[in-house]
Amino acid sequence: MIRWNNLDTLDAFKALESDAKVNLAEVLAGEAGAERVKNYSVPMGGGLTYNFGAKKVNDEILADMQKLADEAQLTEKFAELYNGGIVNTGEKRHVLHQLVRGQLGNDVIADGVNKREFYTGVQNRINEFANKVHAGEITNEAGEKFTQVVQIGIGGSDLGPRALYIALENWAKKNNSLKMEARFISNVDPDDASAVLARTDVAHALFVLVSKSGTTLETLTNESFVKDALVKAGLNPSRHMVAVTSDSSPLAKSADYLDAFFMDDYIGGRYSSSSAVGGAVLSLAFGPEVFAEILAGAAEQDQLCKNTDIRKNSSMLDALIGVYERNILGYTSTAVLPYSQALSRFPAHLQQLDMESNGKAVNRFGEKIDYKTGPLIWGEPGTNGQHSFFQLLHQGTDIIPLQFVGFRESQLGNDVVIKGSTSQQKLCANVAAQIVAFACGKTDENPNKVFHGGRPSSIITGQTLTPKSLGALLAHFENKVMFQGFLWNINSFDQEGVQLGKVLATNVLAHNTEGALKVYSDLLEI
């Protein structure tokens, strides 16, 4: 029987609180430190590895973390999720984003439908559509091939798919897999759509409108913006647009679209990159085979998350360490630092994934909790960040845990030797140096040059960033967030916090305002 208990009621959590704290500089010193880094490593899907040698843990703490994972029934709760339990208690829904990339357990029947068959059926239709577009069987009115695809969406309909596209754009060019250039319109700010359209050949562009309900204000506003541009160019918008929506939305059977591909309420927006939300634009951009590799990498990582042993389950271990840092060490934020320019938008995706999921102050039953939940998530690619905010990370008054990502080889392979080393070697040297510098610090007679160290970090490494390794990376963080939600006994799958502002904005546009809201509306001349 599954028990949903608050974190601070668990015996193993109380044991963790009493464990002696780790001095990073001491445990990383000498040969013992070298052996520690080698041993504190966990294999992931997609050929990746999670290394936590520079985290403030030791074998005693890890043993208590294992007890906490067992007492909190993390693997049992994951099984409840993938077998179709109503884990999203706030909205009384299944949580099925893993199901789009593989069958982890039993068939899940919801609304009288086998959901695995439904999701694979949708992706098969997307594959067929994308192949016809690439072959020139689906064309513009002049019989010419589409060469660009533009996604119109916001939140999870933009951040994840955009991050994945940017991550693989150069890889696809090198491997002759870039079928169509992709662009994204998200912000209701008209400057966003204007700028994208200004560099888009609209006559040869296919627009993908993503809205589950078919009523998202920002998305429908941008759709109208795009349709106006198409009409002004003498084009028929219905020959240039497809919809990704629910089968019950007003967009589902509309003659305004070439086709419609369906999603449902069981996959939240921030978890939807591996569904039709990402599947349509990425299959059009790279081809269905590349998108299938992303799904395969994610599926490998999902399978590993069934392990009860935290030393074989990187997502669970990462989650436990994160909870330890948040609730016992008292750290308030986490910086995600990919040493890969291709992952430049990945931290932005993780911001939504983590903060929209675990930014909660009540438990699954609506009861106020007395401990901290989700941390602030932020970050930028290295080495740019080193010349920006690393000063605060190294010598600021707050300790901020770090999550590095690094690859031994670049995607394009283009490089040059300068002063005895390549650019990629310099990049990798920087991330290795930063990990040790953060952990161990440096003494100096000049107080301005003292680095106190004790800044914990982990690193995910791989040979190079490919579709499969990208899928595993995506699933690692999705599952980390899920396990942390289980530990905090909160619902990681609804997002009521985004709704209040939408309601008030609707009131402003209807001029139904008073008090401070009216003054701010007048200030902006609405």
Side-chain angles (χ1 to χ4, degrees), residues 27-103:
V27 298
L28 286 177
E31 284 302 313
E35 285 302 308
R36 169 193 167 93
V37 173
K38 291 176 185 177
N39 294 331
Y40 277 19
S41 190
V42 178
M44 295 171 55
L48 300 175
T49 300
Y50 172 74
N51 187 287
F52 59 103
K55 284 294 190 180
K56 292 186 176 182
V57 298
N58 56 23
D59 290 347
E60 178 187 12
I61 291 171
L62 288 169
D64 282 337
M65 284 182 175
Q66 181 68 65
K67 292 175 184 175
L68 178 59
D70 296 341
E71 186 180 356
Q73 299 177 294
L74 296 187
T75 50
E76 291 92 335
K77 288 171 182 173
F78 184 36
E80 176 77 1
L81 183 151
Y82 64 67
N83 282 318
I86 307 297
V87 175
N88 179 352
T89 51
E91 296 168 320
K92 296 179 173 58
R93 291 174 180 168
H94 308 277
V95 176
L96 302 180
H97 54 278
Q98 285 100 347
L99 198 56
V100 301
R101 53 217 192 202
Q103 189 81 48

Side-chain angles (χ1 to χ4, degrees), residues 52-358:
F52 59 103
K55 284 294 190 180
K56 292 186 176 182
V57 298
N58 56 23
D59 290 347
E60 178 187 12
I61 291 171
L62 288 169
D64 282 337
M65 284 182 175
Q66 181 68 65
K67 292 175 184 175
L68 178 59
D70 296 341
E71 186 180 356
Q73 299 177 294
L74 296 187
T75 50
E76 291 92 335
K77 288 171 182 173
F78 184 36
E80 176 77 1
L81 183 151
Y82 64 67
N83 282 318
I86 307 297
V87 175
N88 179 352
T89 51
E91 296 168 320
K92 296 179 173 58
R93 291 174 180 168
H94 308 277
V95 176
L96 302 180
H97 54 278
Q98 285 100 347
L99 198 56
V100 301
R101 53 217 192 202
Q103 189 81 48
L104 289 168
N106 302 330
D107 286 344
V108 178
I109 309 297
D111 308 322
V113 174
N114 183 308
K115 299 309 293 187
R116 171 69 177 154
E117 293 178 1
F118 171 77
Y119 296 139
T120 55
V122 169
Q123 187 57 46
N124 287 338
R125 285 209 309 112
I126 290 172
N127 295 350
E128 182 180 1
F129 181 85
N131 286 332
K132 287 182 176 179
V133 169
H134 299 153
E137 296 175 34
I138 295 175
T139 65
N140 67 5
E141 291 165 282
E144 299 164 334
K145 292 179 70 171
F146 291 110
T147 58
Q148 296 172 323
V149 55
V150 181
Q151 180 122 316
I152 307 170
I154 196 166
S157 300
D158 168 74
L159 288 164
R162 187 195 295 249
L164 298 186
Y165 174 77
I166 292 172
L168 293 179
E169 183 178 22
N170 286 330
W171 176 91
K173 288 176 181 177
K174 177 186 177 183
N175 290 277
N176 297 315
S177 295
L178 187 64
K179 311 293 185 182
M180 303 168 71
E181 290 186 343
R183 297 190 172 96
F184 298 83
I185 298 172
S186 59
N187 200 329
V188 76
D189 182 341
D191 288 346
D192 186 18
S194 294
V196 172
L197 290 172
R199 62 180 193 273
T200 298
D201 177 9
V202 294
H204 300 91
L206 190 60
F207 295 86
V208 180
L209 181 77
V210 184
S211 174
K212 185 184 297 182
S213 65
T215 61
T216 308
L217 178 63
E218 296 95 334
T219 300
L220 295 185
T221 299
N222 280 326
E223 179 194 25
S224 297
F225 202 105
V226 167
K227 284 184 173 179
D228 183 63
L230 289 166
V231 170
K232 286 178 178 176
L235 301 167
N236 178 359
S238 67
R239 295 292 301 273
H240 287 261
M241 303 194 84
V242 298
V244 177
T245 189
S246 67
D247 57 8
S248 60
S249 91
L251 312 180
K253 297 177 175 63
S254 172
D256 291 340
Y257 307 98
L258 282 167
D259 210 334
F261 307 108
F262 300 134
M263 54 172 136
D264 60 31
D265 287 332
Y266 305 128
I267 300 177
R270 58 196 177 278
Y271 297 98
S272 66
S273 295
S274 50
S275 76
V277 172
V281 65
L282 297 174
S283 296
L284 285 163
F286 302 132
E289 299 81 8
V290 172
F291 185 66
E293 281 293 294
I294 296 174
L295 298 185
E300 277 190 15
Q301 185 63 24
D302 289 341
Q303 285 288 346
L304 291 174
C305 289
K306 296 168 73 173
N307 278 307
T308 57
D309 183 350
I310 65 172
R311 297 294 295 267
K312 297 178 181 177
N313 187 333
S314 65
S315 298
M316 187 184 293
L317 178 57
D318 199 0
L320 286 157
I321 292 173
V323 168
Y324 179 76
E325 290 174 336
R326 184 77 172 111
N327 297 103
I328 295 176
L329 300 182
Y331 303 148
T332 59
S333 76
T334 296
V336 180
L337 307 169
Y339 273 60
S340 167
Q341 188 60 30
L343 293 174
S344 61
R345 288 296 292 171
F346 202 69
H349 167 60
L350 295 187
Q351 280 182 334
Q352 186 203 18
L353 172 65
D354 202 310
M355 295 167 72
E356 197 168 84
S357 295
N358 289 341

